[in-house]
């Protein structure tokens, strides 16, 4: 099997790391060779962050090359556009509808693009836009936005719901399992 | 098999190797190694005040007979270089492994120096793993080599090894006991007479290692298609395998000293030989010095990280077709909502002061709109540099400038600069931004936090007493959110023709457990003056309908409320 490449992007502090770890553990539970490349350090302070998840029979590089990602999962809209060139032809974008202005936009030195979905659709027809932040707010904790998005992603894979549940439960901190599972389920059943 | 971060695998390797003592000063990308080691009850683990001390503790542990491991980022090895060069001469008793994590591409660093130069310069063998499994296994091997050849061993990681997860199969810990300690000045006291003899030993040791390394399993030939032969190591091996799975490889696990005969043999079996290494042409220059034709930096950069696409394109000469990236506004890292440093920079900005800066979260205060810092060179530099500014531009200039340093950085290497200022009669005003944690690298304890890496209580280093003992007579401790007092005391202290220290104390917003309601801007009261924007809080935005606070980002610190002249902020009742 050719490796599956999932690029997870967002803004430092949004919880992309935990999501990539769930995916990594899932792939390893399923018996695949797997590599996950994470971002620690400076960018975690509100910078643009990207983690790479690759699994298959044999994976060498922990990094996905430009033009090779099967799925781009974005926690923030503009970040989806920043990384969309990593997608392969007919790859899929799943993006959170949330916008977070970067400092150059806040100070007025730059403008936040207003045609992001159009920009994404230029790269691929498969664009799913979902308001995961609102769903997380409904559940009562914006910190589970990442699990909502993971649920959306899960729906587009042919991996069993049970396996996802298991990997998620084993990866998140024990006292947050219940709320994360709830968030995952909402995402899984959401209509994007 | 367990999915493991490279850094965690190094920690596991230390555990399996029967390590007694682990030391470090934090630094991305090396930090998690020691955080994971601290989870093993069997291993004494500490955050040392800086890398030099960390290495010295490890050397002591080694000579006393226990296995010791010390970890740091690449620039940390500069700080630890002094003991490093001489422990090469003394050698070890219990094995000694020095882990150094380089940062090609500078994800979180001020330069991209190549630590392999240290291995060559200090005559110390260096291993370089290419995934987490190797990271663990190479630690075990490094201890074996250390004790067999009587040498410290460097283990080089790079960001992508440290911060990538891959599968690791675990082994049982080795039954390693503490070796006997006997006094041996000929080996352990490096005075000229002894050191001359030890230098002879060092040369012999490295020659022996260079010979033996041709037989080391970690230096491995993988013959494939003979047209392309690639000598490489570490993460670049993975990129190159991705780009040319069919090519022939000489994968080096030991990058110093190099296995010359093995390289000669490999070179003779392939048509075109490439040397692929991120950063400096260290392997390449040695290979070429032996008269072996090879291609390296003719095609590849000494800057930044490599990628599989880049390697494929450079060697095949055929462009890899990819879409260009969109032109979008940058998203640089920022001070978090609620960060105490923001208030200090707001004050500096209002007073229009020149500021020599340092390394920590507060370095982010350099960026617009706070624009609070003029310089950042290395840890501790803010204080010496402020003094240097004064000696060139005079006292009047010194009255309009400050040095800015964090608590962990002050303890790491700021205190010496302060002693210099007092001793040599400077008048600088130094601001210690005390958020009572080492924040930038992910919240490590330090001597001012009252806790050890194991979470045990520890004596709290009292910065006020310390600064007083150095000879500073003007000392203030302030809450940076008290903007009025901050401005007044800063003005007063700057005027004095004596050195002063102002400690701005407020806990890191990410650790502050006191919950505050987020704020909202009451549009009827807001005059759209934009003053609240000048603090550079990511939660405040100017939209067409006016100023808005994003309640998903606001942490309720209330700095904007203190800055606003029209009382336009109110707490949101959730
Ligand atoms: C010699 C050296 N060691 C380690 C680092 C990594 N490093 C950068 S900032 C920092 C800690 C800063 O802590 P502190 O001064 O308390 O400031 P804070 O981030 O908490 O604001 C560290 C360890 C470095 N840049 N140089």
């Amino acid at each position: 099997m050719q490796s599956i490449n999932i690029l997870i992007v967002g803004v430092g502090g949004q919880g992309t790391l935990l999501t990539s770890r769930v995916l990594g553990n899932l792939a390893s539970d399923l018996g695949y060779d797997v590599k996950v490349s994470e971002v620690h350090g400076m960018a975690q302070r509100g910078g643009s962050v990207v983690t790479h998840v690759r699994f298959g029979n044999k994976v060498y590089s922990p990094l996905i090359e430009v033009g090779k990602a099967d799925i781009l999962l974005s926690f923030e809209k503009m970040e989806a556009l920043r990384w969309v060139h990593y997608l392969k032809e007919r790859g899929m974008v799943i993006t959170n509808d949330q916008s977070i202005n970067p400092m150059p936009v806040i100070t007025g030195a730059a403008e936040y693009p207003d045609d992001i979905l159009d920009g994404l659709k230029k790269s691929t027809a498969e664009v799913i836009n979902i308001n995961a932040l609102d769903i997380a707010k409904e559940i009562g904790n914006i910190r589970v936005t990442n699990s909502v998005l993971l649920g959306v992603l899960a729906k587009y894979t042919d991996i069993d719901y049970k396996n996802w549940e298991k990997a998620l439960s084993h990866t998140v901190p024990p006292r947050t399992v219940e709320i994360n599972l709830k968030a995952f389920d909402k995402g899984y059943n959401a209509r994007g | 098999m367990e999915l493991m971060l490279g850094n965690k695998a190094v920690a596991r390797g230390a555990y399996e190797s029967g390590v007694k003592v682990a030391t470090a000063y934090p630094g991305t990308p090396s930090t998690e190694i020691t955080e994971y080691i601290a989870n093993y009850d069997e291993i004494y683990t500490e955050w040392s005040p800086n890398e030099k001390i960390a290495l010295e503790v490890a050397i002591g542990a080694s000579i006393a007979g226990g296995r010791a491991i010390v970890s740091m980022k690449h620039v940390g090895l500069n700080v630890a270089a002094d003991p490093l060069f001489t422990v090469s001469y003394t050698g070890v008793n219990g094995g000694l492994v020095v882990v150094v994590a380089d940062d090609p591409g500078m994800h979180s660093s001020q330069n991209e120096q190549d630590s392999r130069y240290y291995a060559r310069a200090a005559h110390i063998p260096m291993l370089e793993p290419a995934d987490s499994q190797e990271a663990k296994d190479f630690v075990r091997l490094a201890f074996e080599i250390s004790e067999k050849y009587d040498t410290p061993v460097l283990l080089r990681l790079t960001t992508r090894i440290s911060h990538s997860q891959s599968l690791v199969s675990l082994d049982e810990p080795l039954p390693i006991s503490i070796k006997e300690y006997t006094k041996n000045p000929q080996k352990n006291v490096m005075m000229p007479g002894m050191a001359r003899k030890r230098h002879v030993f060092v040369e012999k040791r490295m020659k022996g290692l260079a010979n033996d390394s041709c037989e080391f399993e970690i230096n491995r030939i993988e013959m494939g298609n003979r047209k392309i032969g690639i000598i490489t190591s570490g993460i670049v091996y993975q990129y190159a395998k991705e780009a040319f799975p069919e090519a022939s490889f000489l994968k080096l696990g030991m990058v110093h000293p190099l296995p010359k005969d093995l390289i000669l043999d490999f070179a003779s079996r392939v048509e075109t030989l490439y040397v692929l290494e991120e950063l400096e042409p260290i392997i390449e220059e040695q290979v070429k010095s032996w008269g072996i034709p090879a291609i390296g930096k003719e095609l590849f950069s000494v800057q930044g990280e490599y990628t599989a696409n880049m390697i494929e394109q450079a060697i095949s000469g055929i462009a890899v077709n990819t879409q260009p990236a969109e032109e979008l506004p940058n998203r640089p890292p920022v001070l978090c909502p609620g960060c105490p440093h923001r208030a200090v920079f707001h004050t500096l900005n209002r007073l229009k002061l020149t500021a020599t800066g340092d390394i920590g979260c507060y370095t982010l205060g350099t960026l617009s709109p706070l624009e609070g810092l003029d310089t950042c060179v290395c840890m501790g530099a803010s204080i010496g540099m402020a003094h240097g500014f004064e000696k060139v531009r005079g006292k009047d200039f010194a009255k309009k400038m400050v040095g800015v340093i964090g608590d962990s950085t002050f303890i790491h290497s700021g205190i010496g600069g302060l002693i210099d200022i007092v001793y040599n009669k400077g008048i600088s005003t130094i601001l210690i931004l005390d958020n009572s944690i080492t924040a930038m690298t992910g919240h490590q304890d330090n001597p001012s936090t009252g806790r050890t890496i194991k979470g045990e209580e520890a004596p709290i280093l009292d910065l006020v007493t310390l600064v007083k003992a150095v000879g500073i007579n003007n000392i203030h401790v302030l809450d940076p959110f008290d903007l009025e007092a901050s401005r007044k005391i800063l003005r007063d202290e700057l005027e004095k023709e004596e050195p002063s220290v102002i400690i701005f104390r407020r806990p890191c917003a990410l650790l502050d457990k006191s919950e505050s309601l987020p704020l909202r801007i009451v549009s009827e009261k807001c005059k759209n003056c934009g003053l609240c924007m000048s603090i550079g809080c990511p939660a405040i935005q100017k939209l067409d309908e006016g100023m808005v606070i994003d309640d998903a980002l606001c942490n309720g610190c209330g700095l904007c409320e203190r800055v606003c002249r029209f009382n336009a902020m109110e707490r949101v009742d959730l």
Side-chain angles (χ1 to χ4, degrees):
Chain A
M1 157 193 158
Q2 272 235 316
S3 63
I4 302 287
N5 300 325
I6 303 176
L7 198 70
I8 304 174
V9 304
V11 177
Q14 275 191 306
T16 51
L17 209 72
L18 194 66
T19 305
S20 63
R21 290 190 167 180
V22 178
L23 274 167
N25 288 336
L26 174 71
S28 131
D29 288 347
L30 296 173
Y32 292 117
D33 188 21
V34 53
K35 289 194 173 164
V36 180
S37 176
E38 308 183 340
V39 175
H40 298 251
M42 192 120 172
Q44 283 290 14
R45 301 276 172 269
S48 168
V49 291
V50 53
T51 55
H52 305 239
V53 181
R54 307 191 63 207
F55 55 95
N57 293 339
K58 174 75 192 158
V59 177
Y60 289 110
S61 171
L63 298 183
I64 300 168
E65 296 297 310
V66 174
K68 302 264 170 74
D70 298 280
I71 299 177
L72 172 64
L73 177 65
S74 181
F75 285 45
E76 199 273 354
K77 250 170 138 174
M78 182 168 74
E79 293 308 312
L81 195 54
R82 190 188 308 284
W83 296 97
V84 74
H85 61 295
Y86 271 72
L87 219 54
K88 69 176 192 194
E89 255 180 81
R90 284 190 285 280
M92 169 185 269
V93 183
I94 298 170
T95 183
N96 186 6
D97 195 33
Q98 190 181 0
S99 302
I100 299 175
N101 283 347
M103 206 38 76
V105 169
I106 291 177
T107 61
E111 252 182 74
Y112 196 96
D114 54 11
D115 52 355
I116 288 176
L117 289 181
D118 294 339
L120 292 174
K121 281 182 182 145
K122 263 190 256 163
S123 295
T124 176
E126 305 285 328
V127 179
I128 289 138
N129 182 33
I130 184 125
N131 195 329
L133 180 65
D134 275 359
I135 296 175
K137 277 183 185 165
E138 268 170 41
I139 296 170
N141 190 341
I142 57 173
R143 305 193 60 119
V144 296
T145 307
N146 52 1
S147 291
V148 176
L149 285 165
L150 194 69
V152 179
L153 169 71
K155 197 170 49 177
Y156 293 96
T157 63
D158 40 24
I159 299 167
D160 260 15
Y161 188 97
K162 280 231 153 40
N163 290 321
W164 284 97
E165 251 183 337
K166 179 174 162 227
L168 183 64
S169 312
H170 286 170
T171 313
V172 301
R175 25 174 203 87
T176 69
V177 169
E178 200 178 320
I179 188 162
N180 274 296
L181 285 176
K182 195 166 163 194
F184 177 84
D185 189 67
K186 287 266 184 197
Y188 196 86
N189 293 307
R191 293 203 319 179
Chain B
M1 295 287 251
E2 190 178 319
L3 190 59
M4 259 195 201
L5 207 58
N7 281 348
K8 189 176 181 183
V10 171
R12 174 73 197 189
Y15 166 68
E16 291 180 6
S17 304
V19 162
K20 275 277 162 294
V21 169
T23 63
Y25 181 74
T28 315
S30 69
T31 311
E32 301 81 10
I33 297 170
T34 312
E35 289 178 328
Y36 283 117
I37 292 180
N39 294 329
Y40 294 107
D41 293 339
E42 298 84 347
I43 305 178
Y44 168 81
T45 315
E46 72 167 43
W47 290 129
S48 310
N50 65 38
E51 293 86 351
K52 178 175 184 286
I53 298 167
L55 176 53
E56 288 157 352
V57 174
I59 293 171
S62 157
I63 290 182
R67 286 189 162 186
I69 192 166
V70 49
S71 309
M72 61 197 71
K73 69 182 287 167
H74 60 336
V75 287
L77 199 54
N78 301 333
V79 178
D82 200 3
L84 182 79
F85 276 73
T86 303
V87 73
S88 171
Y89 282 29
T90 64
V92 304
N93 184 17
L96 174 63
V97 173
V98 180
V99 186
V100 57
D102 286 4
D103 190 16
M106 293 176 277
H107 296 273
S108 296
S109 304
Q110 68 267 38
N111 75 28
E112 55 184 339
Q113 66 185 54
D114 191 326
S115 296
R116 294 178 299 167
Y117 275 131
Y118 273 110
R120 294 195 73 191
H123 305 288
I124 293 175
M126 179 181 255
L127 308 186
E128 183 175 25
D131 59 23
S132 297
Q133 180 72 54
E134 287 192 352
K136 181 186 82 72
D137 294 344
F138 283 19
V139 171
R140 289 175 62 125
L141 182 63
F143 276 106
E144 261 175 55
I145 293 173
S146 173
E147 289 176 359
K148 178 165 177 205
Y149 292 88
D150 191 11
T151 180
V153 175
L154 283 155
L155 183 80
R156 181 197 191 222
L157 309 171
T158 54
T159 301
R160 301 300 185 179
I161 297 297
S162 283
H163 288 164
S164 291
Q165 299 200 53
S166 58
L167 295 169
V168 177
S169 64
L170 309 182
D171 294 292
E172 287 304 310
L174 297 165
I176 302 288
S177 47
I178 295 180
K179 293 189 173 176
E180 207 170 311
Y181 169 72
T182 38
K183 186 166 172 166
N184 185 356
Q186 289 301 324
K187 185 168 177 332
N188 295 328
V189 179
M190 285 301 95
M191 295 161 76
M194 292 87 146
R196 275 184 209 113
K197 290 189 200 123
R198 289 300 296 179
H199 194 180
V200 174
F201 164 79
V202 167
E203 291 305 304
K204 227 166 68 198
R205 168 184 84 200
M206 296 311 284
K207 277 219 176 75
L209 254 166
N211 276 334
D212 296 357
S213 71
C214 293
E215 307 294 326
F216 285 0
E217 270 172 37
I218 60 168
N219 293 329
R220 165 177 94 221
I221 290 178
E222 298 168 3
M223 277 323 276
N225 182 328
R226 283 162 203 272
K227 274 199 155 45
I228 298 176
I230 297 173
I231 300 178
T232 186
S233 70
I235 191 67
V236 182
Y237 166 78
Q238 309 290 5
Y239 301 154
K241 278 296 252 195
E242 202 72 50
F244 293 101
E246 314 285 308
S248 294
F249 283 82
L250 169 52
K251 179 188 176 299
L252 298 174
M254 183 184 264
V255 291
H256 185 70
L258 292 179
K260 186 175 170 184
D261 288 344
L262 192 66
I263 290 174
L264 282 165
D265 172 43
F266 180 68
S268 72
R269 289 156 68 182
V270 298
E271 271 174 42
T272 312
L273 182 66
Y274 296 89
V275 180
L276 300 187
E277 50 192 328
E278 284 173 339
L279 302 179
E280 304 293 327
I282 292 174
I283 301 172
E284 178 185 343
E285 283 180 356
Q286 293 177 80
V287 167
K288 285 179 172 170
S289 78
W290 299 326
I292 302 170
I295 300 172
K297 298 299 177 188
E298 295 88 345
L299 290 182
F300 293 93
S301 174
V302 295
Q303 281 164 258
E305 297 186 286
Y306 291 4
T307 68
N309 277 354
M310 174 201 283
I311 293 169
E312 186 180 334
Q313 192 157 307
I315 291 183
S316 71
I318 301 163
V320 176
N321 244 337
T322 53
Q323 279 187 57
E326 293 269 345
E327 293 278 334
L328 289 171
N330 283 334
R331 191 185 296 277
V334 287
L335 294 173
C336 305
C339 177
H341 301 332
R342 175 173 290 110
V344 178
F345 287 116
H346 172 70
T347 300
L348 295 184
N349 190 304
R350 293 287 306 275
L351 298 177
K352 299 200 167 34
L353 300 177
T354 298
T356 49
D358 227 297
I359 304 197
C361 282
Y362 48 91
T363 317
L364 297 172
T366 306
L367 304 177
S368 179
L370 292 164
E371 297 177 357
L373 294 179
D374 289 58
T375 67
C376 166
V377 175
C378 68
M379 290 191 76
S382 58
I383 302 184
M385 286 177 69
H387 191 52
F389 260 76
E390 178 189 337
K391 293 305 169 194
V392 166
R393 306 198 77 83
K395 288 194 172 163
D396 284 342
F397 191 88
K399 290 180 181 177
K400 292 195 210 75
M401 78 170 285
V402 292
V404 177
I405 190 166
D407 50 316
S408 184
T409 304
F410 179 70
I411 297 163
H412 176 280
S413 50
I415 182 75
L418 201 60
I419 293 170
D420 184 38
I421 288 177
V422 173
Y423 173 52
N424 287 306
K425 304 190 185 77
I427 67 160
S428 294
T429 299
I430 302 301
L431 315 183
I432 301 177
L433 274 47
D434 181 8
N435 56 1
S436 301
I437 200 78
T438 314
M440 175 94 279
T441 40
H443 301 116
Q444 290 74 33
D445 281 297
N446 68 48
S448 78
T449 67
R451 268 182 319 274
T452 69
I453 189 172
K454 297 258 190 187
E456 292 155 6
E457 256 185 65
I460 296 181
L461 173 66
D462 178 7
L463 292 179
V464 172
T465 310
L466 177 64
V467 165
K468 191 177 274 170
V470 161
I472 300 281
N473 295 319
N474 309 296
I475 307 168
H476 297 271
V477 181
L478 285 177
D479 177 358
F481 272 45
D482 189 344
L483 298 176
E484 216 168 295
S486 296
R487 274 197 295 273
K488 178 175 180 311
I489 287 172
L490 245 174
R491 281 206 190 96
D492 291 351
E493 292 307 326
L494 285 166
E495 234 358 87
K496 289 183 189 163
E497 300 220 337
E498 287 175 27
S500 316
V501 168
I502 304 174
I503 299 170
F504 284 104
R505 186 169 286 160
R506 192 180 175 90
C508 171
L510 297 181
L511 299 183
D512 192 0
K513 294 277 176 275
S514 56
E515 298 226 338
S516 317
L517 296 172
L519 289 122
R520 162 165 66 206
I521 295 176
V522 185
S523 50
E524 296 77 42
K525 289 191 187 170
C526 175
K527 305 268 188 265
N528 257 313
C529 71
L531 198 58
C532 58
M533 301 287 289
S534 70
I535 60 175
C537 176
I540 308 178
Q541 318 189 3
K542 190 170 192 157
L543 303 179
D544 292 340
E545 61 268 30
M547 314 297 292
V548 176
I549 295 177
D550 183 338
D551 64 355
L553 295 177
C554 176
N555 96 325
C557 77
L559 182 64
C560 55
E561 198 177 16
R562 289 167 191 257
V563 169
C564 179
R565 298 211 178 109
F566 305 103
N567 260 325
M569 321 286 173
E570 67 176 22
R571 300 269 162 188
V572 180
D573 227 342
L574 291 175

